[in-house]
Amino acid sequence: MKYIHIVFICKYYTKYCASRSYSSMVPKVNNVRQMFPKVFFGGESYFLSQQQKGMDSEMKIAVCDDELEISTKCADFVTQLAKKHDLSVDVQVYSTGEALLFDMEDVARRPDLLYLDINMPGMKGIEVADTLQANGAETAVIFLTVSKAHMLQAFDVHAFHYLVKEDTDERRFEKIFLDAAARIQKKKQEVITVSCAGESRIIPVEDIRYFEVKDYILTVYYQNESFEFYSTLGKVEEALLGHGFLRIHRSFLVAKSSIRKVSRKEVELAGGVTLPVGRSYWDTIKTATGS
């Protein structure tokens, strides 16, 4: 198991020392050790790691194709493959890109995996994928279409794969499905472990909405909970590089998947939380979200 290890100082030790002068801080260390015997006072441990759970958490899968017969066949086959490989899935079918994007405004309904046609009435598949990405969705997109004509555009929206309907047999479809499922489950198993004063929290990375730093205390907000520890936002940002987080302010690091709206002054997250945008971060935010 690989760990990324960063040293953080315990917030309780910091608060304890902050109420005393520097000269009185050192003699008190032994007393603090006695108060919090489980804390290592050379620093706190923070880990980004993988939980060894196996492929057992439910995957949300969507199929979007204007031809009902094709979308139904794809959904049925995906369900069969999931059953065959003991995977838990929830499969939804859409006939237009607009209907899909409407549902995806609810972050909780965003699929982990999307089979997407390109040539549909209204919004084309490439545009749908681009919009999802711009809105912070980290959905693995597999284009399932009739020709190779849009393959280069698929790379532009970072598609997981590109399948031509007539050229894809069941064995190849199954292999690509399992590859996508493995990547999704690996991501779902990524956790951070934060410990302080003998208390530890194991938090799935995908559950984190944002981090806030105030008076040298860092707070991680995840689901409907929060946990405080002492660190710098820069260290956390570095540790989570490549995991879908975006610095929007000197005090805030947010999960792109939680972002619902972006403006020059603020970012709105799922659940209605609004956070300020730092002026120096706007160009980065604009590029990352396509605003």
Side-chain angles (χ1 to χ4, degrees):
M1 184 184 297
K2 270 192 171 181
Y3 293 96
I4 297 176
H5 183 212
I6 301 176
V7 175
F8 291 148
I9 298 173
C10 175
K11 68 172 184 178
Y12 296 103
Y13 179 48
T14 305
K15 289 181 178 179
Y16 183 88
C17 295
S19 64
R20 292 158 174 76
S21 67
Y22 179 80
S23 60
S24 65
M25 183 172 69
V26 176
K28 298 292 184 180
V29 168
N30 287 335
N31 291 334
V32 179
R33 287 180 187 273
Q34 292 168 5
M35 290 169 63
F36 304 113
K38 293 184 179 180
V39 177
F40 170 63
F41 280 94
E44 278 295 310
S45 293
Y46 162 101
F47 295 103
L48 172 64
S49 62
Q50 297 262 325
Q51 287 185 332
Q52 301 301 314
K53 292 182 177 178
M55 297 174 66
D56 56 1
S57 57
E58 184 177 75
M59 285 194 300
K60 295 190 288 291
I61 299 175
V63 180
C64 185
D65 195 309
D66 61 304
E67 295 185 49
L68 182 60
E69 182 180 351
I70 293 176
S71 59
T72 302
K73 183 179 179 181
C74 180
D76 288 346
F77 190 47
V78 165
T79 302
Q80 291 172 25
L81 290 176
K83 185 175 181 180
K84 174 182 176 181
H85 295 281
D86 197 26
L87 299 175
S88 176
V89 297
D90 175 27
V91 184
Q92 300 292 326
V93 174
Y94 298 88
S95 59
T96 68
E98 288 85 351
L100 171 72
L101 291 175
F102 180 81
D103 272 3
M104 297 311 102
E105 289 181 7
D106 180 354
V107 174
R109 300 188 68 175
R110 290 178 178 176
D112 300 302
L113 177 60
L114 170 62
Y115 288 93
L116 181 61
D117 188 19
I118 291 180
N119 296 309
M120 297 184 292
M123 291 185 74
K124 306 303 180 186
I126 296 291
E127 186 181 356
V128 171
D130 190 46
T131 302
L132 277 173
Q133 190 177 78
N135 289 337
E138 296 186 4
T139 300
V141 176
I142 297 177
F143 286 108
L144 187 59
T145 189
V146 295
S147 76
K148 300 178 181 179
H150 301 281
M151 192 173 291
L152 291 179
Q153 289 175 282
F155 283 108
D156 290 338
V157 293
H158 309 289
F160 180 80
H161 221 294
Y162 189 103
L163 298 177
V164 178
K165 294 173 182 177
E166 298 299 323
D167 295 341
T168 304
D169 60 23
E170 291 187 356
R171 181 179 296 181
R172 178 169 170 75
F173 189 101
E174 180 175 6
K175 180 185 183 305
I176 292 169
F177 168 74
L178 291 176
D179 288 345
R183 189 179 82 163
I184 291 163
Q185 292 295 338
K186 179 180 178 182
K187 180 181 175 183
K188 284 178 175 289
Q189 293 163 16
E190 288 180 329
V191 298
I192 62 169
T193 302
V194 182
S195 301
C196 192
E199 182 179 359
S200 296
R201 297 287 177 90
I202 299 175
I203 307 169
V205 172
E206 70 167 3
D207 287 349
I208 298 172
R209 294 186 294 137
Y210 67 100
F211 293 87
E212 176 183 13
V213 66
K214 185 177 181 181
D215 297 330
Y216 302 103
I217 301 298
L218 200 74
T219 304
V220 55
Y221 295 88
Y222 61 102
Q223 295 184 329
N224 295 316
E225 300 185 54
S226 63
F227 186 77
E228 294 182 347
F229 56 98
Y230 185 81
S231 179
T232 68
L233 210 52
K235 287 181 180 179
V236 175
E237 183 179 11
E238 182 180 355
L240 292 173
L241 188 66
H243 288 78
F245 286 82
L246 179 63
R247 188 75 172 264
I248 64 165
H249 188 278
R250 65 182 180 181
S251 299
F252 295 100
L253 178 70
V254 305
K256 288 170 60 178
S257 59
S258 292
I259 296 175
R260 295 194 65 178
K261 295 180 182 177
V262 176
S263 71
R264 282 184 172 272
K265 292 186 177 181
E266 64 184 21
V267 167
E268 181 183 330
L269 304 183
V273 175
T274 58
L275 303 175
V277 168
R279 185 180 303 174
S280 62
Y281 296 93
W282 172 243
D283 287 343
T284 301
I285 296 169
K286 184 168 61 174
T287 300
T289 61
S291 301

